[in-house]
Amino acid sequence: MSRPTKLCKAFILHVENLVPTILPQAIKSIETIEGDGEPGTVKIITLPQMQIQSVKHRVDGIDKENYTYSYNIIEVDVLKNGLESLSYEIKIFDGSNGGSICKKQARFINDNKLGDLSTTEIVTCHQ
């Protein structure tokens, strides 16, 4: 199994179990409330004692061969303040050092204008 395949399975396909365990201060729980994990699935993410209590997102795409995962935030307080939509794409690829890199890009639509919030390297795994 390749490095991106392992990271993809852990970080994208098994996120419900992994993230609340390793980052309990950021994510209290992730629960699938509709679907089977494929595109169209709706998940609710519960945050521990923050201004935003929970976030619902819909899986828009999973490409297991190219290690990409995209989702759209469909319910959260911030979307009520003029932000029309917020979407993310996660991409995992081989790093130059023999490890893997996971990047996350955020896009938003506000007043019918498309913009990029950021591209962030969120996980780098070294061999």
Side-chain angles (χ1 to χ4, degrees):
M1 187 179 302
S2 73
R3 291 178 307 276
T5 301
K6 288 178 186 178
L7 190 57
C8 182
K9 282 187 146 198
F11 194 69
I12 294 173
L13 303 178
H14 300 292
V15 70
E16 287 91 350
N17 298 322
L18 181 66
V19 174
T21 302
I22 62 173
L23 295 170
Q25 69 281 10
I27 305 288
K28 185 175 180 181
S29 66
I30 301 173
E31 180 185 356
T32 298
I33 58 173
E34 183 180 312
D36 60 0
E38 295 299 316
T41 295
V42 176
K43 298 180 182 189
I44 188 164
I45 301 160
T46 305
L47 308 171
Q49 300 182 9
M50 296 183 177
Q51 287 181 330
I52 299 171
Q53 297 297 309
S54 64
V55 175
K56 279 188 186 175
H57 84 248
R58 181 188 64 242
V59 177
D60 290 332
I62 298 175
D63 185 340
K64 295 173 188 170
E65 291 179 17
N66 293 306
Y67 314 112
T68 61
Y69 177 79
S70 58
Y71 63 96
N72 206 336
I73 302 297
I74 59 173
E75 190 177 304
V76 69
D77 290 340
V78 73
L79 292 180
K80 296 176 184 173
N81 296 325
L83 191 60
E84 296 172 34
S85 72
L86 183 57
S87 61
Y88 294 90
E89 181 178 62
I90 296 171
K91 171 95 174 128
I92 300 170
F93 53 94
D94 282 325
S96 60
N97 63 358
S100 297
I101 297 171
C102 178
K103 289 194 176 187
K104 181 177 184 177
Q105 182 174 27
R107 290 202 164 108
F108 67 93
I109 297 177
N110 192 9
D111 297 327
N112 294 320
K113 295 178 185 173
L114 177 65
D116 289 330
L117 287 175
S118 64
T119 299
T120 307
E121 187 174 309
I122 50 177
V123 177
T124 302
C125 298
H126 301 281
Q127 200 170 11

